[in-house]
Amino acid sequence: NAGVTQTPKFRVLKTGQSMTLLCAQDMNHEYMYWYRQDPGMGLRLIHYSVGEGTTAKGEVPDGYNVSRLKKQNFLLGLESAAPSQTSVYFCASSYYPDTQYFGPGTRLTVL
Amino acid sequence: AQSVAQPEDQVNVAEGNPLTVKCTYSVSGNPYLFWYVQYPNRGLQFLLKYITGDNLVKGSYGFEAEFNKSQTSFHLKKPSALVSDSALYFCAVRAFAGGYQKVTFGTGTKLQVIP
């Protein structure tokens, strides 16, 4: 039982490049979330999903897109990366909007 | 709008002393409250939660938290701090917002336990 896994762990992008972050969970959770963590800002919700095929915007959705084609996977895309998107990204999942289980994070640097 | 405040960016405590990490919240209706811990270069881990019932909630690693409705607080406590408790602690609240359940995290408090 791996829990929540994230790929990749680290990435460096140039401004304007695109990339996709993959989150996978093996707990059969309905809810999945993408957060970014910045110093002094805590965790801010980017997008979330309440089930396969659904997505919704969080607090800071601009510049990001998501997809939930399979229940176990939640993808976060950056179409044209900007330096302001330098951050640590965390994925989480939960059976209900209750206790969340977090992945180990992806550290992204945009130059 | 719901919110969570962690008024201290950092808390320093000597090993063996009791520790308290403060959290206050603002929601409409009954809150569900959580504490999470984050060790360096790791994701957040669940510590404990309050849903209803006894105001004193016990969680992992000897931590507990006290729900105080009149003061809208949910402070995290431990009777005797360990150096290994040094980490970043997040309070979170879940409540109905616009017809769905929303979870809001605080900005985090760094706990430093001094040997």
Side-chain angles (χ1 to χ4, degrees):
Chain A
N1 190 336
V4 179
T5 58
Q6 293 183 231
T7 309
K9 289 184 170 54
F10 304 94
R11 187 73 186 268
V12 178
L13 291 178
K14 294 181 179 178
T15 297
Q17 287 185 317
S18 63
M19 76 164 295
T20 300
L21 282 67
L22 171 64
C23 176
Q25 53 95 3
D26 60 2
M27 296 174 281
N28 201 35
H29 285 166
E30 293 292 336
Y31 289 72
M32 296 188 75
Y33 315 81
W34 275 108
Y35 294 92
R36 59 177 290 172
Q37 184 178 27
D38 303 290
M41 303 291 288
L43 284 174
R44 292 183 292 171
L45 183 64
I46 304 171
H47 286 281
Y48 65 99
S49 168
V50 301
E52 181 179 317
T54 74
T55 63
K57 294 180 180 180
E59 300 172 64
V60 289
D62 294 342
Y64 305 95
N65 56 75
V66 289
S67 63
R68 183 104 181 263
L69 299 179
K70 294 183 178 180
K71 187 176 184 178
Q72 64 267 35
N73 295 337
F74 195 31
L75 278 64
L76 178 71
L78 286 72
E79 292 185 347
S80 179
S84 61
Q85 294 178 304
T86 293
S87 187
V88 182
Y89 291 85
F90 288 99
C91 176
S93 71
S94 63
Y95 180 70
Y96 190 64
D98 197 72
T99 303
Q100 296 183 26
Y101 295 83
F102 285 80
T106 295
R107 189 172 297 272
L108 175 67
T109 301
V110 183
L111 302 175
Chain B
Q2 65 190 59
S3 64
V4 176
Q6 293 183 243
E8 301 154 318
D9 290 336
Q10 181 159 336
V11 170
N12 297 322
V13 62
E15 185 177 23
N17 282 3
L19 69 88
T20 298
V21 182
K22 296 179 180 177
C23 172
T24 59
Y25 66 90
S26 174
V27 296
S28 300
N30 296 321
Y32 288 17
L33 295 153
F34 304 81
W35 275 102
Y36 290 83
V37 60
Q38 184 181 31
Y39 298 103
N41 301 313
R42 304 285 296 275
L44 277 69
Q45 296 177 32
F46 169 75
L47 271 181
L48 52 81
K49 67 181 178 184
Y50 170 83
I51 298 177
T52 187
D54 194 346
N55 289 343
L56 187 63
V57 179
K58 294 188 183 298
S60 306
Y61 312 121
F63 284 93
E64 58 189 26
E66 186 170 10
F67 171 66
N68 187 317
K69 188 172 183 177
S70 63
Q71 297 185 3
T72 61
S73 67
F74 190 56
H75 301 331
L76 181 70
K77 300 181 181 183
K78 187 173 183 181
S80 179
L82 300 172
V83 173
S84 57
D85 293 330
S86 298
L88 190 57
Y89 291 81
F90 288 93
C91 182
V93 63
R94 175 193 135 197
F96 269 108
Y100 66 98
Q101 294 278 357
K102 180 181 177 182
V103 177
T104 301
F105 284 84
T107 52
T109 298
K110 183 178 181 180
L111 174 66
Q112 190 76 35
V113 181
I114 303 162

